[in-house]
Amino acid sequence: MSSAAKEVKRRGSNAEEMGARQRDISVSEFFAKNRHLLGFDNPRKALLTTVKEAVDNSLDACEEGGILPEIAVVIEDLQPDRAATVKSSRYRVTIVDNGPGIVRKQVENIFGRLLYGSKFHRLKMSRGQQGIGISAAGMYGLITTGRPMTIVTRPKATAKAHRIELAMNTKTNRAEVIADDETNDFPPERLRAVTLGARALASEKGFLDAIEFPTGTSVSIELEGRYQRGRGSVDEFLELTAIANPHAKFVFVPPSRESANEEDDVPLVTQGAASAASSAKRTSETHGVLIYPRGVEELPRETQEIQPHPKGIELGILLQMIKDYEATEKGSLYSFLQERFCRVSPVTAAAMCKKIGVTTRTRAADIEPSVAEKLFKEFEVAKLAPPPTDCLAPIGVRQMLAGMLKGVRAEFYAASSREAAVYRGRPFQIEAAIAFGGDLPCEESARVIRFANRVPLLFQQSACSSFKAIAETAWKNYGLQQPRGNVPTGPLVVMIHMASVWVPFTSESKEAIADYDEIRKEMKLALMECGRKLGTYLRKRMKMKRENDRRDVFERYIGEIAKALHQITGHSPKPIYDSLLIQARTKTAIADVELDEDGKVRKAIAPDPDDDDDGVIIIEGAIPSLPTQPVRTSAPMEFEEVAPMKKPAAPRKKSPADAVHTKSAPKPKTDAPRTSAKPQKRSVADTPSLF
Amino acid sequence: MAKKNTTTDSTPSISTRLKERDARTSKKILDLAEEMVKRILGGDDPIIQIPTRAKSNTLWNKKRGILEMGSATAARPLFDLKTAKQFMQTMLHSNTISELIAAGKTSSLRGVFYKAKHTVAGTRENTFDGQDESDPILEDLEVALGALREELHVFAENRGSMVGNITIVDRGDEINCRKMGSGGYALPSIVEPDIIQFKKCEAKFILHVEKGTVWNRFNEDRFWEKHNCILTHGAGQPPRGCRRLLQRMTEELKLPLICVLDCDPWGHYIYSVIKQGSISLAFESSRLAIPQAKFLGIRAKDFRECNLDDAVKIDLTENDIKRAGEIAAYPWFEHHKGWQREIGGLLKNGFKMEVESLITKDISYVTDTYVPERLKARDWID
């Protein structure tokens, strides 16, 4: 300490000089220096965060305006001729939505100020929370390129759109308007011809037609970024957003070239989906433009704003609330309790007042901090109903299935939605979905896709409560492999969604959900429900496969048996073979209907139209990609098609070639060389060439 | 392959007998196959009934002192995943045997396996994956057809050796077992009277030892000459040929059989099989079992009595202890005081001893001292 004191002396600063340097830090300035806190750590992530913030805002705006969202994301490479080794480039990111638009006087506030927004002050489920997202993106663009952001917004379909260029002053936390005019160019004409793909799309199917966008907003930000596909990319973000928002349509026009690769691309779940053009509700790609179609035609439930619940409040906040109340209402504590909290009835409020030794007429202004503390303790022990849950808008089982089906090529889908629960006095609801099999990679760990209020969480997976919940779930019970303390291995995608009025993120960049016991428990319960469905399905499938094998085994042996019996007795083998084949068919046909787990004979398994309500979809055609299917080079005899093993509720039309059992389709010819290579001693002239 | 035509001693009666026997066997196979074809064409389930070769279907005939096979049979349906392949294999082997008989040839077990082994038409699956799949199917056929292995024209490898004061005739060749050098007469797998006859025997008993190494010691020391006996070994668990020959000599020549085996559950089990027969070959017990066989050693008490070194101890494994318990519970040992004491002694010792352990006393201790003394004292377990 003494040496430190000496140093101070040597430097010669005194309190006055130091005081002269001490001043306000503008929030904008703080974030300009700490941009990693907001998700602008590196050029690639900056590009993603910019898209993410704009898309989140667009979706929120559309839903609040009661409009089915249609969102176009266009990324233009502004330095297409740069050297191949250059890691980053300058991009212009434009997001256009068909939302309600923004009234002119709010534009600066929304896009130009950090910590300004409608969402922070209320307990209502929405994507954005703090109101720093899009303005931070604009600021990042300004810092890296010096270019202002351009906003075109048309709040009234009949009026002209506003076109505003905004640059943010980081010192004053205020936006400076550089250009402000009115235009009819909305959605911007330019975007329709930005790449070959966009041009083709515009001429073939329509892209950014004014009819589809009577109102709406377009935001353009130029920034230094890096475009590269794979994990944590814009592509992944849009893919996942499309899964969690099946009511929205997205069109993504990526830049013409990717940035130089640093690492191998991680395959996306939609890979291989490009060929699935036949099924309408799946993601498709034309001329490099990705289209994520709308899966369901209804908007999520309108959410209600709620007052805080007494159990979820902290003492400091309570004091602040009392202060605010006396400033505006000047009422009694009794009415304060009823007005500013949910689930506090007059009876409860009176009981609380009595417990802390005040009357129902005591004014809130007269409450001493010590009494407030008593009240706070009373909150903790009071018996109160949990907060209302109509403030939550879960995705819904059917919608999750539609979203998963759209983006993930699997054979089995299951989803479950929990009842709402409460953590720290805040209501939340957990939903989970899984996709299994199909084109998903078998050897890798399951892919986890996480959402909070429908926003995908792309980073810090292992810090997230959902990851822990998945690792703690015993997937072995459902027929999957699982390394100790890890996510299961296999062709599996696990989706977890948390809907809440306030999602507890571990950091401001909103990448992981904090690990509350209540939340993790709900997650596990939702996963277990999905897991049980998967387990049932896998057991059923194993059984089907066993019967399949059985048919296979019998049919492959009867040729040998017919031949041996022929050689001993001299009877012609053909009738023996045919008779055995008929028996084999009959035996396995009986087995086919015995799919019931308890061995009860089910006569016919008709497609269940309500399968969606069970939270399960099975795609029959996807099953043959199983690695465990026996290799069969040929079968000894031709035989006609047998009855299908099961007809699950397949949401898309399947061709007969898709069905499970046709895997063992016979190719009779290949048997000939073997027989001729091993000549028989006895005369076989009167028998088919096969024997 | 052994030829049927022998030059010297083949009498017409023998070859006629063989032809008749073959015709009978062929008929049995044909009947089985015809029955199956009838079933199949009639739309009935193809099922073969195979007498069960398991402990559950083994009866202990106390009076005769041998194991016998019960009457239980197990259905082997084609349309059952568990038995489908075995059914197919049984059919294939029926055909193989039928071909062997028709051609008048014999084959080794391994030869039969190769004869029937091929890829199942239209697949990459083999009809037989290994000989261990093929051998039990042949045994099944033996019991299903009620025909012995030699009647099926199948033989096993030669295993076991014999020397001693006896002359035999093997397919017409006279074999003087006193002049067999160091290797001895190799015991063939088929030793039926039509193949092997006993000619001249001075020996007073048979000494059967567990394996070749011990047998070498006795042979080198000319034990059989000094004690006027026949000396055999069966290379561990004696095969059918060895057991059948021992059984014939005890039966036809009225020779007592004395066994010198290791002091461990395996040795006890070998003795049990020689004496009562085995579970899987219970149907042949009346031809193979030698109820009067005696167990001379090695005994659990020998460690103390012979004053053996600690070095000879081999710890009992958990499996050994389990096995010893099973053997002690065999009905023919269960009420046998001598054997209960013997197995109890082994477990109490907690270690095994091989016959070779006696070498720690002296190279020829076993032939000069141990066996002669015990023989003289008639110190064995019956």
Side-chain angles (χ1 to χ4, degrees):
Chain A
M1 275 297 110
S2 61
S3 67
K6 251 185 252 163
E7 265 178 48
V8 170
K9 220 172 195 178
R10 197 172 58 232
R11 279 206 200 137
S13 286
N14 58 36
E16 270 169 45
E17 286 164 340
M18 284 163 78
R21 290 199 295 270
Q22 286 161 348
R23 59 190 166 83
D24 261 351
I25 303 166
S26 122
V27 184
S28 324
E29 208 176 9
F30 172 78
F31 279 125
K33 284 184 176 161
N34 295 290
R35 59 198 196 198
H36 55 275
L37 294 177
L38 291 171
F40 294 91
D41 334 20
N42 58 55
R44 184 166 182 245
K45 211 169 158 190
L47 186 70
L48 167 70
T49 306
T50 303
V51 172
K52 176 169 146 57
E53 296 298 347
V55 168
D56 287 355
N57 282 354
S58 291
L59 285 169
D60 273 345
C62 288
E63 282 165 23
E64 227 169 293
I67 299 165
L68 278 172
E70 177 159 354
I71 293 166
V73 177
V74 181
I75 302 180
E76 295 164 79
D77 193 338
L78 300 180
Q79 297 168 333
D81 303 324
R82 67 185 187 278
T85 49
V86 176
K87 288 269 179 347
S88 63
S89 173
R90 184 178 287 195
Y91 292 96
R92 184 187 294 128
V93 177
T94 307
I95 285 91
V96 189
D97 66 52
N98 63 345
I102 300 160
V103 292
R104 170 64 193 88
K105 68 176 166 80
Q106 284 292 2
V107 170
E108 290 96 321
N109 285 333
I110 288 170
F111 293 99
R113 263 172 96 174
L114 289 172
L115 296 176
Y116 185 92
S118 58
K119 301 163 189 168
F120 187 78
H121 301 281
R122 56 185 188 177
L123 283 177
K124 182 178 173 190
M125 179 181 158
S126 59
R127 290 180 179 78
Q129 280 177 355
Q130 291 94 339
I132 34 183
I134 191 65
S135 31
M139 200 164 65
Y140 173 82
L142 187 69
I143 291 166
T144 53
T145 67
R147 300 278 299 151
M149 71 170 127
T150 307
I151 295 116
V152 185
T153 180
R154 177 181 268 173
K156 268 176 89 173
T158 48
K160 282 191 169 185
H162 303 284
R163 188 180 172 284
I164 297 132
E165 283 184 23
L166 274 185
M168 178 132 167
N169 187 327
T170 54
K171 293 227 159 53
T172 61
N173 196 9
R174 283 285 184 277
E176 286 164 13
V177 177
I178 291 167
D180 183 357
D181 46 42
E182 295 199 336
T183 172
N184 256 328
D185 184 26
F186 182 83
E189 176 77 42
R190 187 179 61 80
L191 296 173
R192 258 168 271 169
V194 74
T195 67
L196 276 175
R199 263 203 297 280
L201 184 66
S203 66
E204 286 164 22
K205 296 181 191 164
F207 174 48
L208 288 175
D209 284 336
I211 298 163
E212 306 282 331
F213 291 77
T215 60
T217 305
S218 149
V219 185
S220 285
I221 295 169
E222 277 182 42
L223 74 158
E224 191 76 17
R226 194 155 75 83
Y227 176 72
Q228 192 192 330
R229 294 194 179 90
R231 286 277 157 90
S233 64
V234 174
D235 298 62
E236 191 193 31
F237 166 74
L238 287 174
E239 172 206 337
L240 298 185
T241 306
I243 289 176
N245 297 277
H247 62 289
K249 179 188 174 185
F250 297 92
V251 178
F252 175 40
V253 182
S256 44
R257 59 179 275 195
E258 275 190 71
S259 300
N261 274 7
E262 270 179 343
E263 64 211 77
D264 282 344
D265 271 357
V266 183
L268 286 172
V269 284
T270 41
Q271 275 197 357
S275 59
S278 58
S279 46
K281 295 294 184 203
R282 284 179 181 257
T283 304
S284 62
E285 184 181 346
T286 36
H287 309 290
V289 177
L290 285 155
I291 299 164
Y292 305 88
R294 191 168 287 139
V296 292
E297 292 294 333
E298 66 259 36
L299 278 167
R301 190 170 75 190
E302 175 91 37
T303 56
Q304 300 299 314
E305 191 177 332
I306 60 159
Q307 299 291 359
H309 191 272
K311 298 262 184 202
I313 212 87
E314 272 152 11
L315 180 57
I317 298 186
L318 175 65
L319 291 170
Q320 186 60 45
M321 282 171 76
I322 295 173
K323 219 179 212 172
D324 290 348
Y325 189 72
E326 44 181 77
T328 53
E329 313 279 325
K330 302 196 191 309
S332 65
L333 181 72
Y334 174 68
S335 47
F336 163 75
L337 286 172
Q338 292 172 56
E339 283 169 31
R340 292 296 163 97
F341 290 99
C342 64
R343 296 303 194 218
V344 181
S345 63
V347 180
T348 322
M352 281 180 175
C353 289
K354 204 178 163 200
K355 275 260 175 87
I356 59 170
V358 300
T359 69
T360 51
R361 308 190 67 105
T362 312
R363 278 162 32 106
D366 298 336
I367 297 297
E368 299 289 321
S370 60
V371 181
E373 202 171 333
K374 267 192 198 163
L375 178 64
F376 177 69
K377 291 216 174 94
E378 188 51 38
F379 281 170
E380 285 180 349
V381 296
K383 278 200 178 115
L384 296 166
T389 52
D390 55 356
C391 53
L392 299 175
I395 301 175
V397 166
R398 195 171 61 82
Q399 287 81 354
M400 276 195 289
L401 288 174
M404 287 288 256
L405 190 65
K406 184 164 79 172
V408 184
R409 296 275 284 174
E411 70 180 67
F412 174 84
Y413 303 82
S416 77
S417 200
R418 297 283 307 162
E419 292 293 312
V422 177
Y423 83 95
R424 281 183 51 200
R426 287 161 194 162
F428 72 98
Q429 188 165 1
I430 296 296
E431 296 174 288
I434 54 177
F436 177 84
D439 294 345
L440 298 172
C442 290
E443 305 298 320
E444 293 168 22
S445 288
R447 184 167 175 209
V448 179
I449 54 181
R450 302 168 289 137
F451 301 89
N453 288 350
R454 295 169 183 257
V455 177
L457 310 176
L458 300 182
F459 301 98
Q460 293 189 15
Q461 172 171 288
S462 53
C464 185
S465 183
S466 63
F467 184 81
K468 292 187 182 118
I470 293 168
E472 283 175 17
T473 304
W475 294 93
K476 280 181 182 154
N477 296 347
Y478 313 126
L480 291 170
Q481 296 188 320
Q482 183 180 24
R484 186 180 287 270
N486 214 326
V487 298
T489 311
L492 184 71
V493 174
V494 183
M495 165 180 174
I496 288 199
H497 176 236
M498 174 175 178
S500 179
V501 293
W502 191 265
V503 178
F505 288 112
T506 55
S507 74
E508 282 316 294
S509 52
K510 302 198 262 182
E511 285 161 350
I513 299 169
D515 192 21
Y516 284 95
D517 283 347
E518 296 93 333
I519 296 175
R520 188 151 36 109
K521 184 181 148 220
E522 282 296 314
M523 286 174 170
K524 276 161 77 175
L525 289 171
L527 289 169
M528 279 156 71
E529 195 179 312
C530 289
R532 274 194 297 275
K533 288 172 184 166
L534 176 65
T536 307
Y537 168 70
L538 286 180
R539 274 194 301 279
K540 231 174 234 180
R541 196 183 71 173
M542 277 301 287
K543 198 157 183 170
M544 277 160 64
K545 196 177 118 34
R546 269 204 300 276
E547 301 304 349
N548 227 10
D549 283 357
R550 182 169 144 133
R551 181 201 304 280
D552 224 53
V553 163
F554 297 156
E555 291 187 8
R556 79 167 77 177
Y557 291 157
I558 58 184
E560 293 291 333
I561 291 163
K563 196 157 90 181
L565 287 174
H566 156 67
Q567 288 179 357
I568 300 170
T569 63
H571 286 289
S572 168
K574 184 83 167 76
I576 301 176
Y577 181 91
D578 290 347
S579 181
L580 281 173
L581 191 63
I582 291 165
Q583 282 206 45
R585 289 283 159 71
T586 321
K587 304 276 172 196
T588 36
I590 293 166
D592 285 348
V593 293
E594 284 176 342
L595 277 175
D596 192 288
E597 250 145 76
D598 313 317
K600 286 181 216 144
V601 178
R602 280 187 183 182
K603 277 291 172 236
I605 299 135
D608 185 356
D610 301 328
D611 244 9
D612 277 6
D613 294 340
D614 295 346
V616 169
I617 293 180
I618 297 162
I619 310 288
E620 197 179 351
I623 299 173
S625 63
L626 278 179
T628 42
Q629 283 283 334
V631 185
R632 190 176 179 111
T633 52
S634 75
M637 285 267 175
E638 278 198 57
F639 50 90
E640 69 288 352
E641 192 69 295
V642 286
M645 312 211 58
K646 182 178 190 274
K647 288 178 193 144
R652 65 191 174 99
K653 285 259 188 283
K654 66 173 182 65
S655 65
D658 255 358
V660 193
H661 55 270
T662 46
K663 186 74 202 286
S664 54
K667 289 173 216 130
K669 273 170 202 150
T670 31
D671 191 45
R674 200 194 60 76
T675 333
S676 58
K678 192 187 160 204
Q680 301 294 328
K681 274 181 199 148
R682 298 184 189 194
S683 161
V684 288
D686 61 333
T687 62
S689 64
L690 186 60
F691 292 98
Chain B
M1 303 298 112
K3 290 224 172 67
K4 257 174 53 176
N5 300 336
T6 46
T7 42
T8 47
D9 230 35
S10 84
T11 58
S13 68
I14 284 184
S15 87
T16 314
R17 267 210 324 267
L18 284 177
K19 270 196 188 124
E20 281 167 7
R21 197 187 71 179
D22 284 353
R24 270 202 313 276
T25 318
S26 291
K27 179 79 176 25
K28 283 176 181 169
I29 296 174
L30 188 64
D31 287 350
L32 180 89
E34 286 286 357
E35 160 77 14
M36 197 55 62
V37 172
K38 218 169 95 191
R39 285 188 78 94
I40 292 168
L41 295 180
D44 287 331
D45 236 357
I47 292 174
I48 326 171
Q49 290 291 340
I50 309 261
T52 311
R53 295 184 296 114
K55 201 176 168 192
S56 59
N57 192 33
T58 313
L59 305 169
W60 164 236
N61 187 329
K62 203 172 175 185
K63 204 168 145 210
R64 294 180 66 193
I66 61 170
L67 280 171
E68 286 177 344
M69 190 157 75
S71 55
T73 61
R76 181 171 290 177
L78 164 62
F79 294 117
D80 184 320
L81 275 192
K82 291 192 281 293
T83 54
K85 189 164 190 183
Q86 289 174 352
F87 183 97
M88 183 265 295
Q89 289 171 334
T90 314
M91 290 297 132
L92 286 178
H93 267 350
S94 303
N95 184 36
T96 315
I97 301 299
S98 139
E99 279 183 24
L100 276 176
I101 295 174
K105 301 273 168 82
T106 58
S107 169
S108 65
L109 289 169
R110 190 147 188 84
V112 173
F113 156 61
Y114 271 114
K115 182 89 181 56
K117 181 188 174 218
H118 58 257
T119 312
V120 176
T123 69
R124 291 181 204 161
E125 184 183 346
N126 282 329
T127 51
F128 290 93
D129 279 332
Q131 200 188 329
D132 53 346
E133 265 184 33
S134 161
D135 292 358
I137 297 286
L138 281 174
E139 287 178 3
D140 287 343
L141 267 179
E142 282 179 61
V143 290
L145 296 170
L148 299 172
R149 194 160 66 188
E150 50 269 29
E151 292 179 298
L152 301 181
H153 285 223
V154 179
F155 61 87
E157 261 179 85
N158 292 352
R159 216 166 102 193
S161 301
M162 175 167 86
V163 285
N165 281 330
I166 186 169
T167 305
I168 61 167
V169 178
D170 182 350
R171 282 191 193 272
D173 298 335
E174 203 171 285
I175 310 229
N176 182 352
C177 292
R178 301 162 195 88
K179 302 194 169 184
M180 296 309 299
S182 58
Y185 168 66
L187 301 178
S189 86
I190 298 176
V191 294
E192 292 310 304
D194 50 355
I195 309 279
I196 287 176
Q197 298 92 37
F198 305 122
K199 207 167 178 191
K200 189 175 163 223
C201 174
E202 294 105 28
K204 293 290 172 228
F205 67 96
I206 309 162
L207 187 78
H208 179 80
V209 300
E210 184 165 332
K211 52 202 166 219
T213 51
V214 180
W215 183 90
N216 280 339
R217 172 87 268 115
F218 281 87
N219 190 25
E220 198 177 288
D221 293 346
R222 308 288 285 180
F223 180 88
W224 53 272
E225 206 170 54
K226 284 178 209 156
H227 297 273
N228 190 22
C229 69
I230 296 166
L231 182 65
T232 58
H233 79 89
Q237 181 66 258
R240 272 200 251 181
C242 174
R243 285 167 59 197
R244 174 65 174 151
L245 191 67
L246 290 175
Q247 194 266 354
R248 281 191 62 205
M249 289 192 291
T250 55
E251 196 92 325
E252 295 168 28
L253 306 174
K254 308 286 175 214
L255 299 178
L257 174 66
I258 313 281
C259 301
V260 178
L261 306 165
D262 290 346
C263 177
D264 58 20
W266 181 239
H268 297 165
Y269 181 68
I270 290 174
Y271 171 73
S272 166
V273 168
I274 290 173
K275 191 176 168 82
Q276 272 89 25
S278 67
I279 288 164
S280 70
L281 295 177
F283 61 96
E284 283 230 74
S285 284
S286 57
R287 296 199 313 138
L288 297 177
I290 309 161
Q292 51 98 324
K294 290 161 180 60
F295 184 86
L296 182 105
I298 303 297
R299 304 277 297 276
K301 60 176 184 173
D302 290 346
F303 181 74
R304 217 173 351 95
E305 280 194 7
C306 303
N307 209 1
L308 293 177
D309 196 87
D310 269 351
V312 306
K313 293 179 181 175
I314 303 171
D315 287 342
L316 281 172
T317 64
E318 248 171 62
N319 201 28
D320 288 332
I321 294 165
K322 198 175 130 235
R323 194 88 186 89
E326 286 168 13
I327 292 169
Y330 284 164
W332 46 98
F333 285 154
E334 201 182 347
H335 303 293
H336 192 297
K337 279 192 183 119
W339 272 106
Q340 290 301 319
R341 217 177 300 134
E342 182 60 28
I343 295 170
L346 169 73
L347 290 172
K348 206 173 149 210
N349 277 354
F351 57 83
K352 314 182 263 192
M353 286 177 290
E354 293 185 294
V355 180
E356 286 92 330
S357 64
L358 296 175
I359 210 164
T360 53
K361 302 284 287 181
D362 181 83
I363 292 176
S364 289
Y365 176 77
V366 66
T367 54
D368 291 349
T369 320
Y370 182 82
V371 174
E373 274 182 6
R374 294 290 164 96
L375 281 173
K376 206 172 161 199
R378 304 179 70 81
D379 185 2
W380 54 61
I381 318 177
D382 208 345

